[in-house]
Amino acid sequence: MNDIPDHFTDESLFAFLDGQLSASEEKAFERHLAACRSCSAELERMQALFSDLESLSELPLQVDLADRVLARLPRPAPAPRFLRAASALQLLAAAVILVLAIPLLLLQPGFVEWSAGVQNEFESLGARLEPLSAFVSTTILAAEDLIMESVQGFGQPDALAAVAATLIPLLASSSLLWIIGNGILIPRLRRDFSRR
Amino acid sequence: MDAPDDRDLVRRVRRGEVDAFGDLVRRYQQSVFNVALRVLRNREDAEDLAQDAFIRAYERLDRYDIDRPFGPWVHRLTANLAINSLKRRRTLFELDEERDRTSPAGHSAPEQALVRKERDRDLHAALTSLPAHYRAAIELRHFQEMSYQQIAAALGVPLNTARSHLYRGRRLLAERMERP
């Protein structure tokens, strides 16, 4: 398309309108355009057609397609019973393990020293916090007594500490599994079921 | 309260709120229908295809780039679907052009009465009277703003053929618009 003929072909005319000519071709085209009234008129005619296409009004749609489309879309179905039961059981298991593990956590070696340290910290806060400090100290001591009394029937503190060491990772992994199970797997399974 | 924008609606649909897709349909059904109508020419076919296009859009929503405008995406999808529908009917490249040139415009009289401008009416009539492959090329170029390469890919023809369809379609359209 290096040589623009005396009068434009449709190919060069439309290539010009579509911005498909090279810079040199475009210059040659424009030079011819300035000298040729016929081609200039033809270009204007096509530009008007393009403009009419661009502003062409839309024909009215006489129905509402939304309801028809929505009726054909898969709806999310309620989760199957076993999924709902699994979710509830996971929650229950996590709660039970939490209840069992917290007292055992308190029996971990070093906890008594740690609680004494906390007690000392509170005591050092001074007279302004004395009522609060006394309350915390009393509460911690009472909790220790209560725990020691309640676990005496189950065995020696060392053995319980070993059990606690096992339960703590169990608690962590159960909680993690619960989060994964409810947060990721169940919604995905629910979507899969709804597509069936 | 402001109406939610397209991105919000798409996000809600992706989260499982199917009804939010109804809002997207209401927002674009008119333009999607017109894309289908310009290619297929028949109102009932265009309504059916517009529904199919929205169903397809819903199914592909996971692959839609939410940073790009929804309208052009669903319009292109509709145009491609309409052209594939013509291909399936074996009409796209097997039309008798002479018969097509003399075929009546696809609009009924009441429909034409609704078109506001006379020139619009003539243009609609001239467009619908074009052979299917010319009509499709013009739809993809002028309404969907596709490149020559994209038109060739959508029509499933070589680049030169796509260009030829487009140029001849324009020329024929201009001639028909000049008829009294």
Side-chain angles (χ1 to χ4, degrees), chain B residues 22-44:
Chain B
D23 292 339
L24 280 171
V25 174
R26 286 186 192 94
R27 201 167 279 183
Y28 289 101
Q29 59 183 353
Q30 171 84 20
S31 55
V32 162
F33 163 72
N34 270 269
V35 172
L37 186 62
R38 284 193 296 265
V39 177
L40 299 179
R41 300 193 296 189
N42 176 284
R43 174 173 283 278
E44 285 74 28

Short mmCIF file of all heavy atoms in Angstrom, two decimals, chain B residues 22-44:
data_model
loop_
_atom_site.label_atom_id
_atom_site.label_comp_id
_atom_site.label_asym_id
_atom_site.label_seq_id
_atom_site.Cartn_x
_atom_site.Cartn_y
_atom_site.Cartn_z
N GLY B 22 -29.19 -10.62 39.06
CA GLY B 22 -30.39 -10.06 38.45
C GLY B 22 -30.24 -8.56 38.20
O GLY B 22 -30.71 -8.04 37.19
N ASP B 23 -29.58 -7.87 39.12
CA ASP B 23 -29.34 -6.43 38.93
C ASP B 23 -28.43 -6.18 37.73
O ASP B 23 -28.62 -5.23 36.98
CB ASP B 23 -28.72 -5.83 40.19
CG ASP B 23 -29.71 -5.84 41.36
OD1 ASP B 23 -30.92 -5.93 41.09
OD2 ASP B 23 -29.27 -5.79 42.52
N LEU B 24 -27.42 -7.04 37.59
CA LEU B 24 -26.54 -6.89 36.42
C LEU B 24 -27.32 -7.14 35.12
O LEU B 24 -27.12 -6.45 34.12
CB LEU B 24 -25.37 -7.88 36.51
CG LEU B 24 -24.21 -7.48 37.43
CD1 LEU B 24 -23.24 -8.64 37.59
CD2 LEU B 24 -23.47 -6.26 36.89
N VAL B 25 -28.18 -8.13 35.15
CA VAL B 25 -28.99 -8.43 33.95
C VAL B 25 -29.86 -7.23 33.61
O VAL B 25 -29.90 -6.79 32.45
CB VAL B 25 -29.86 -9.68 34.17
CG1 VAL B 25 -30.80 -9.89 32.98
CG2 VAL B 25 -29.00 -10.92 34.37
N ARG B 26 -30.53 -6.66 34.61
CA ARG B 26 -31.41 -5.51 34.34
C ARG B 26 -30.61 -4.33 33.79
O ARG B 26 -31.07 -3.58 32.95
CB ARG B 26 -32.15 -5.09 35.60
CG ARG B 26 -33.25 -6.07 35.94
CD ARG B 26 -34.13 -5.65 37.09
NE ARG B 26 -34.95 -6.80 37.48
CZ ARG B 26 -34.61 -7.65 38.44
NH1 ARG B 26 -33.50 -7.47 39.13
NH2 ARG B 26 -35.37 -8.69 38.72
N ARG B 27 -29.40 -4.20 34.26
CA ARG B 27 -28.56 -3.08 33.85
C ARG B 27 -28.11 -3.21 32.39
O ARG B 27 -27.97 -2.22 31.69
CB ARG B 27 -27.33 -3.03 34.76
CG ARG B 27 -26.64 -1.72 34.82
CD ARG B 27 -25.66 -1.69 35.96
NE ARG B 27 -26.30 -1.42 37.24
CZ ARG B 27 -25.64 -1.29 38.40
NH1 ARG B 27 -24.33 -1.40 38.42
NH2 ARG B 27 -26.28 -1.05 39.52
N TYR B 28 -27.90 -4.43 31.93
CA TYR B 28 -27.31 -4.62 30.60
C TYR B 28 -28.21 -5.36 29.62
O TYR B 28 -27.81 -5.60 28.48
CB TYR B 28 -25.97 -5.36 30.72
CG TYR B 28 -24.90 -4.48 31.32
CD1 TYR B 28 -24.55 -4.60 32.65
CD2 TYR B 28 -24.30 -3.48 30.58
CE1 TYR B 28 -23.61 -3.77 33.24
CE2 TYR B 28 -23.36 -2.64 31.14
CZ TYR B 28 -23.01 -2.79 32.47
OH TYR B 28 -22.09 -1.95 33.04
N GLN B 29 -29.41 -5.72 30.02
CA GLN B 29 -30.23 -6.54 29.14
C GLN B 29 -30.58 -5.83 27.83
O GLN B 29 -30.60 -6.45 26.77
CB GLN B 29 -31.50 -7.03 29.84
CG GLN B 29 -32.40 -5.94 30.36
CD GLN B 29 -33.61 -6.53 31.10
OE1 GLN B 29 -33.82 -7.72 31.10
NE2 GLN B 29 -34.40 -5.67 31.72
N GLN B 30 -30.82 -4.53 27.91
CA GLN B 30 -31.17 -3.77 26.71
C GLN B 30 -30.03 -3.80 25.69
O GLN B 30 -30.22 -4.09 24.52
CB GLN B 30 -31.50 -2.33 27.11
CG GLN B 30 -31.69 -1.37 25.98
CD GLN B 30 -33.11 -1.40 25.44
OE1 GLN B 30 -34.03 -1.85 26.11
NE2 GLN B 30 -33.28 -0.93 24.22
N SER B 31 -28.83 -3.49 26.15
CA SER B 31 -27.70 -3.43 25.22
C SER B 31 -27.30 -4.82 24.73
O SER B 31 -26.96 -5.00 23.56
CB SER B 31 -26.51 -2.72 25.86
OG SER B 31 -26.16 -3.33 27.08
N VAL B 32 -27.38 -5.81 25.62
CA VAL B 32 -27.05 -7.18 25.22
C VAL B 32 -28.05 -7.68 24.18
O VAL B 32 -27.68 -8.29 23.17
CB VAL B 32 -27.03 -8.11 26.46
CG1 VAL B 32 -27.12 -9.57 26.07
CG2 VAL B 32 -25.76 -7.86 27.27
N PHE B 33 -29.32 -7.36 24.41
CA PHE B 33 -30.35 -7.75 23.45
C PHE B 33 -30.07 -7.11 22.09
O PHE B 33 -30.22 -7.75 21.04
CB PHE B 33 -31.72 -7.31 23.99
CG PHE B 33 -32.82 -7.27 22.97
CD1 PHE B 33 -33.36 -8.46 22.47
CD2 PHE B 33 -33.32 -6.07 22.48
CE1 PHE B 33 -34.37 -8.43 21.52
CE2 PHE B 33 -34.32 -6.04 21.54
CZ PHE B 33 -34.85 -7.22 21.05
N ASN B 34 -29.65 -5.85 22.08
CA ASN B 34 -29.40 -5.17 20.81
C ASN B 34 -28.19 -5.74 20.07
O ASN B 34 -28.19 -5.78 18.86
CB ASN B 34 -29.25 -3.67 21.03
CG ASN B 34 -30.58 -2.95 20.93
OD1 ASN B 34 -30.98 -2.50 19.85
ND2 ASN B 34 -31.32 -2.88 22.04
N VAL B 35 -27.18 -6.16 20.82
CA VAL B 35 -26.05 -6.83 20.17
C VAL B 35 -26.56 -8.09 19.46
O VAL B 35 -26.27 -8.33 18.28
CB VAL B 35 -24.96 -7.22 21.20
CG1 VAL B 35 -23.89 -8.09 20.55
CG2 VAL B 35 -24.33 -5.98 21.81
N ALA B 36 -27.35 -8.86 20.18
CA ALA B 36 -27.87 -10.11 19.61
C ALA B 36 -28.78 -9.82 18.42
O ALA B 36 -28.73 -10.50 17.40
CB ALA B 36 -28.62 -10.89 20.68
N LEU B 37 -29.61 -8.77 18.56
CA LEU B 37 -30.57 -8.45 17.50
C LEU B 37 -29.86 -7.99 16.22
O LEU B 37 -30.26 -8.36 15.11
CB LEU B 37 -31.52 -7.35 17.99
CG LEU B 37 -32.67 -6.98 17.07
CD1 LEU B 37 -33.59 -8.18 16.84
CD2 LEU B 37 -33.48 -5.82 17.65
N ARG B 38 -28.79 -7.22 16.37
CA ARG B 38 -28.08 -6.75 15.17
C ARG B 38 -27.46 -7.91 14.41
O ARG B 38 -27.35 -7.87 13.20
CB ARG B 38 -27.00 -5.73 15.56
CG ARG B 38 -27.54 -4.35 15.91
CD ARG B 38 -26.43 -3.32 15.97
NE ARG B 38 -25.48 -3.60 17.02
CZ ARG B 38 -25.51 -3.09 18.25
NH1 ARG B 38 -26.46 -2.24 18.58
NH2 ARG B 38 -24.60 -3.41 19.13
N VAL B 39 -27.04 -8.92 15.14
CA VAL B 39 -26.41 -10.07 14.47
C VAL B 39 -27.47 -11.05 13.96
O VAL B 39 -27.39 -11.51 12.82
CB VAL B 39 -25.43 -10.79 15.41
CG1 VAL B 39 -24.83 -12.01 14.74
CG2 VAL B 39 -24.31 -9.85 15.86
N LEU B 40 -28.45 -11.32 14.77
CA LEU B 40 -29.41 -12.38 14.43
C LEU B 40 -30.63 -11.88 13.66
O LEU B 40 -31.30 -12.66 12.98
CB LEU B 40 -29.89 -13.09 15.71
CG LEU B 40 -28.82 -13.79 16.54
CD1 LEU B 40 -29.45 -14.41 17.79
CD2 LEU B 40 -28.11 -14.86 15.74
N ARG B 41 -30.96 -10.62 13.84
CA ARG B 41 -32.06 -9.93 13.14
C ARG B 41 -33.44 -10.29 13.66
O ARG B 41 -34.39 -9.58 13.39
CB ARG B 41 -32.03 -10.22 11.62
CG ARG B 41 -30.78 -9.76 10.95
CD ARG B 41 -30.94 -9.77 9.47
NE ARG B 41 -31.16 -11.11 8.94
CZ ARG B 41 -31.15 -11.40 7.67
NH1 ARG B 41 -30.96 -10.45 6.79
NH2 ARG B 41 -31.35 -12.62 7.24
N ASN B 42 -33.59 -11.37 14.34
CA ASN B 42 -34.92 -11.81 14.77
C ASN B 42 -35.09 -11.56 16.27
O ASN B 42 -34.24 -11.96 17.07
CB ASN B 42 -35.07 -13.30 14.45
CG ASN B 42 -36.37 -13.86 14.95
OD1 ASN B 42 -36.53 -14.11 16.14
ND2 ASN B 42 -37.31 -14.06 14.05
N ARG B 43 -36.18 -10.91 16.63
CA ARG B 43 -36.38 -10.49 18.03
C ARG B 43 -36.42 -11.69 18.99
O ARG B 43 -35.78 -11.67 20.03
CB ARG B 43 -37.67 -9.69 18.12
CG ARG B 43 -38.08 -9.32 19.52
CD ARG B 43 -39.27 -8.40 19.54
NE ARG B 43 -38.88 -7.04 19.22
CZ ARG B 43 -38.36 -6.19 20.10
NH1 ARG B 43 -38.16 -6.55 21.34
NH2 ARG B 43 -38.02 -4.98 19.74
N GLU B 44 -37.16 -12.71 18.64
CA GLU B 44 -37.28 -13.86 19.56
C GLU B 44 -35.93 -14.55 19.73
O GLU B 44 -35.53 -14.92 20.84
CB GLU B 44 -38.33 -14.87 19.04
CG GLU B 44 -39.78 -14.43 19.22
CD GLU B 44 -40.17 -13.34 18.24
OE1 GLU B 44 -39.57 -13.29 17.14
OE2 GLU B 44 -41.03 -12.50 18.57
#
